Amino acid sequence: MKRPDLSSPPTFDEALRYARDVAQDPGTLVHYPHPGLENARYGRGFAFLEKINGDRGPMDGYVLVSTSGYGSGVLLADGRTIDEIIAEHLARAEHANRYIPDSELSVAHRAALAAYDAGHGRIDDLPGHEALDAETADYAEFVLLNLRHSRNQTGTGRNILARNDFLLQAATPGRRYTHPCPLCAQPAVYADRYPRAVCEHCLSRTTDHAGRRITGYNTSLSGGMIAYYTDTIDHPDTPYEECVEVTRTGVCFIDGHPATMQEARFGGIVVQLSPTD
């Protein structure tokens, strides 16, 4: 199913189409009018009710379609009403779109925002970066990396921070947050388990032995890794083609340099430059 366009609220007809795709029993779907949701400043959308046939008989279910995507569930499962679910949704939308004043930001956060909004690729490109101590610069680089690689690039860097509470946490003293990419020396997120992890730019050039571009995915929420040829992913009308050799061995290449592709410990895919290179 096509994800709702996040750039503008869905029309009723669009929301109904999405809801029918999500509903377990589209034939029972009915619109649940809610002026607060349908006219909200943030998270605007439409709600629908449906009947779901469970092991214990019919249950009340819902589908909610808004600018933040869509969701569905069973109302009887946790005792919540559709109005409570909508209220929680609107509260999350307001929180994700709140304004964060400078007084709530650290020196590292302000440096990262200045670099992001100026279009800089790294903290070292920011005028006056020399005044930052090493730990502050490292954490600012980490925040900047996350801002630049956020899936939702709508608005300013401050808007992205508001949608990612984990980035607003204070840096842990003594912790290392970034390291130079072992291939190009650009900043990359650091993890003890993956000391030779490449940056996002080098990751985007990962290939099989023949030089055909590949992209790794987790096979499920519980783990596993599968590699697909990127050119088949870029064309939604064709099925994904697996790169069996990389899926089985994890051996890949970046600009001819040997590397390894694997599932990360807590989800996602990590590519490391081989230590022999």
Side-chain angles (χ1 to χ4, degrees), residues 44-105:
R44 187 185 308 175
F46 296 90
F48 303 88
L49 297 176
E50 67 168 323
K51 288 293 182 181
I52 299 174
N53 291 318
D55 295 337
R56 300 181 180 180
M59 299 181 292
D60 293 325
Y62 73 92
V63 179
L64 192 153
V65 181
S66 78
T67 51
S68 58
Y70 52 86
S72 62
V74 180
L75 293 175
L76 299 180
D78 54 12
R80 293 184 299 169
T81 66
I82 184 63
D83 288 324
E84 289 172 329
I85 289 172
I86 292 173
E88 291 174 6
H89 161 75
L90 293 176
R92 288 194 300 270
E94 285 286 339
H95 179 78
N97 288 277
R98 71 194 186 282
Y99 176 77
I100 304 174
D102 283 348
S103 59
E104 296 182 12
L105 300 173

Side-chain angles (χ1 to χ4, degrees), residues 229-240:
Y229 288 111
T230 308
D231 54 9
T232 67
I233 298 172
D234 293 340
H235 295 84
D237 295 332
T238 61
Y240 289 9

Side-chain angles (χ1 to χ4, degrees), residues 207-232:
T207 70
D208 65 359
H209 77 281
R212 189 175 177 187
R213 172 81 173 87
I214 57 171
T215 300
Y217 287 90
N218 289 128
T219 55
S220 69
L221 293 176
S222 59
M225 190 271 288
I226 187 170
Y228 291 110
Y229 288 111
T230 308
D231 54 9
T232 67

